[in-house]
Amino acid sequence: MLHIRVISPTSATDGVVGCLREATGVTNLVVFPGVARCPEGDLVEFDVAREAANGVIESLRGLGIETSGSIAVEKIDIAISEAADRARAEAPGEGDDAVVWEELAARVADDSRMTWAFIVFLAIATQLAAIGVLLNSPILIVGAMVLGPEFGPIAAVCFGLLQRESGLIGAAVRNLVIGFAAAIVVTLACALVARGLGWIEPSMIAEGNTEEVNFIVKPDRWSFIVALLAGVAGVLSITAGKSSSLVGVFISVTTVPAAGYAAVAVALGDWTEVGHAGLQLGVNILGMVIAGTLTLLVQRLLWGKYGERVGPRPRSDR
């Protein structure tokens, strides 16, 4: 269930309430006349089944509420109510499968913004991956994959392609390029210092010394297939709110490890390995973007058909 708070101009409140009383999946409707101050108006609160939220939000936007008032949405973790159970039963599909497009749009917009936190997390993850390469340690590689935050901008690119929003795509791509560039530069600087101190040497990434982590710089058809599967799983985990599944996506693809390997290879002068790592990075990102965009397209088509089944509710007394 989702809880939605609407600030409505007094002149529009009757229309809002009428719309909600007829909507499928809506319950716990409450109206507080004249309590809103900024913007001024009435406060309308209600709960809605997740799978019916798109139609309700669309109807409210059709009344112009987003310009003359406001619409705020939050997730309800527990709803102990027979009325809520009936509302969920009315709505088509399952809540875990539903895509709330406004929620997704807000999330990818946040992920497409350049922030210091994104760069720092990516830089730390890349350095962990580089150390994992030097120590031939799969555990450190996996840790770096979990820490890497790069799937957020990738998902934003997918959504931008679906919606044909060039601004969103450009912002997300810029985030990825600047983030990986900064992470590689920082890791390269640290690797050069370590080489100057005699801590690392070219033999550490020579053939035979990195057998446990070679998978991150050997792109092949399996790399692309894994990236495709990760793109599907990543988008599903975001749209369904399954954050625990998203961790599995991070572990399955080698974007951050490839960046870390590239930085180490540059520091040690092994340009062949730099090329391999760069190709692996590109293959993974391309595969996730293709699969993620197609997954969103399928979800939109499926939920479009569900939307056709959402008509006026059979009862309006909840």
Side-chain angles (χ1 to χ4, degrees):
M1 296 291 290
L2 298 175
H3 180 72
I4 299 183
R5 184 185 71 247
V6 176
I7 295 180
S8 166
T10 302
S11 59
T13 300
D14 286 344
V16 169
V17 172
C19 170
L20 295 176
R21 288 180 66 86
E22 292 300 318
T24 298
V26 172
T27 189
N28 299 332
L29 175 61
V30 182
V31 181
F32 300 93
V35 299
R37 293 293 178 267
C38 184
E40 292 190 358
D42 303 328
L43 174 62
V44 180
E45 295 188 352
F46 61 95
D47 300 335
V48 61
R50 181 181 175 87
E51 53 269 42
N54 286 315
V56 172
I57 294 173
E58 230 177 89
S59 297
L60 292 173
R61 296 192 68 172
L63 295 173
I65 299 301
E66 79 276 14
T67 56
S68 57
S70 75
I71 304 170
V73 183
E74 56 186 318
K75 181 181 177 183
I76 298 176
D77 292 323
I78 299 176
I80 305 174
S81 164
E82 290 187 4
D85 292 340
R86 288 194 297 270
R88 280 192 292 262
E90 284 179 5
E94 296 294 333
D96 281 347
D97 296 332
V99 183
V100 182
W101 294 104
E102 293 292 340
E103 177 186 55
L104 180 59
R107 178 165 184 170
V108 298
D110 287 340
D111 287 338
S112 68
R113 296 190 181 98
M114 176 60 62
T115 64
W116 284 108
F118 174 80
I119 294 176
V120 170
F121 273 116
L122 193 53
I124 293 173
T126 304
Q127 290 182 74
L128 281 175
I131 295 171
V133 168
L134 294 167
L135 298 181
N136 197 27
S137 171
I139 293 176
L140 285 176
I141 296 294
V142 170
M145 294 160 92
V146 173
L147 184 61
E150 74 278 8
F151 191 79
I154 291 173
V157 171
C158 297
F159 187 75
L161 289 171
L162 180 74
Q163 298 294 97
R164 299 180 182 178
E165 295 184 16
S166 57
L168 177 62
I169 297 171
V173 170
R174 183 175 64 249
N175 204 3
L176 281 172
V177 171
I178 294 176
F180 272 112
I184 290 173
V185 167
V186 169
T187 304
L188 172 60
C190 293
L192 289 173
V193 170
R195 185 176 185 182
L197 294 172
W199 293 359
I200 63 175
E201 55 186 30
S203 62
M204 297 180 74
I205 62 169
E207 187 173 352
N209 290 339
T210 57
E211 292 180 355
E212 295 292 331
V213 296
N214 273 345
F215 67 94
I216 68 177
V217 285
K218 288 190 175 180
D220 54 23
R221 58 188 176 185
W222 296 110
S223 300
F224 189 67
I225 291 172
V226 169
L228 290 174
L229 295 173
V232 174
V235 166
L236 289 176
S237 67
I238 289 176
T239 55
K242 299 293 186 182
S243 57
S244 59
S245 301
L246 192 57
V247 173
V249 174
F250 293 155
I251 295 174
S252 64
V253 289
T254 56
T255 46
V256 165
Y261 198 113
V264 169
V266 170
L268 297 178
D270 192 335
W271 296 102
T272 300
E273 293 298 281
V274 173
H276 290 163
L279 182 58
Q280 180 77 294
L281 178 61
V283 164
N284 277 297
I285 292 177
L286 178 62
M288 286 191 288
V289 167
I290 292 173
T293 304
L294 290 176
T295 302
L296 286 175
L297 178 60
V298 170
Q299 287 179 302
R300 184 167 70 177
L301 293 174
L302 287 176
W303 279 97
K305 292 184 179 299
Y306 273 131
E308 293 172 2
R309 293 168 48 194
V310 178
R313 63 197 307 177
R315 297 173 59 188
S316 58
D317 57 347
R318 294 178 190 164

